[in-house]
Amino acid sequence: MKKRLYLFAFFGVLAGCSRYQAARIAQPAGPYVPAIYAAAQINDAELRNQGLRNLAARNDLTEAELDYLVCLLAVRKGTSQQVRDVLLQVLNNPAVSYRIKHRISSVLPNLGLLPPDHKQIADALASGPMESQPPRAETSAN
């Protein structure tokens, strides 16, 4: 009986910690920010990632909203397949930019993805145009 109580308390603390971390992420301005935050707070991982995937598919998301979604996904994970599906949806969004791809690549090692899912995300990051890549500093040889 005590073991069940300890397990329940342990998982409750874990859930509380991830919610606390999600609340500490700075919220950008945007009409979809409350919906993204609400979807990230869903306890059921499958429903949470389905909501985030549906929001990531919206064509009118701003770059700041996509960045916020990726940050929340890094905190409120799900299974490897669920996280992969959300990230692929983000990468297929027309608003995705070099900055978002860089954010995804920075959180990718910490998401706990299985090797095939990790490879699929890495391949998706490598493919596609990088139109909005930051300008390189040119050096002059004087």
Side-chain angles (χ1 to χ4, degrees):
M1 185 67 173
K2 281 188 177 184
K3 288 181 184 180
R4 285 185 186 177
L5 181 62
Y6 288 135
L7 284 175
F8 182 72
F10 175 72
F11 288 117
V13 168
L14 284 180
C17 289
S18 64
R19 283 192 180 172
Y20 174 72
Q21 290 174 338
R24 293 190 60 196
I25 296 173
Q27 292 184 354
Y32 293 108
V33 170
I36 294 169
Y37 182 76
Q41 296 307 308
I42 297 172
N43 283 331
D44 183 77
E46 184 178 338
L47 290 175
R48 178 177 56 247
N49 287 312
Q50 180 182 359
L52 291 174
R53 190 172 58 244
N54 291 342
L55 285 164
R58 297 199 57 91
N59 291 334
D60 54 344
L61 283 176
T62 64
E63 179 184 18
E65 289 169 328
L66 281 173
D67 186 44
Y68 182 62
L69 192 148
V70 171
C71 289
L72 285 177
L73 183 65
V75 174
R76 299 280 295 174
K77 304 170 191 160
T79 66
S80 181
Q81 181 182 4
Q82 292 166 346
V83 173
R84 180 203 65 203
D85 291 344
V86 174
L87 288 177
L88 288 175
Q89 194 66 53
V90 168
L91 290 170
N92 288 328
N93 191 307
V96 76
S97 65
Y98 175 79
R99 182 173 167 244
I100 302 303
K101 287 186 173 188
H102 181 60
R103 171 73 72 185
I104 291 171
S105 67
S106 69
V107 299
L108 192 58
N110 300 326
L111 292 176
L113 297 176
L114 296 173
D117 295 333
H118 191 281
K119 182 182 180 333
Q120 195 171 3
I121 297 299
D123 291 344
L125 282 168
S127 69
M130 297 286 273
E131 299 112 10
S132 56
Q133 203 169 23
R136 292 184 182 174
E138 295 186 25
T139 58
S140 60
N142 289 18

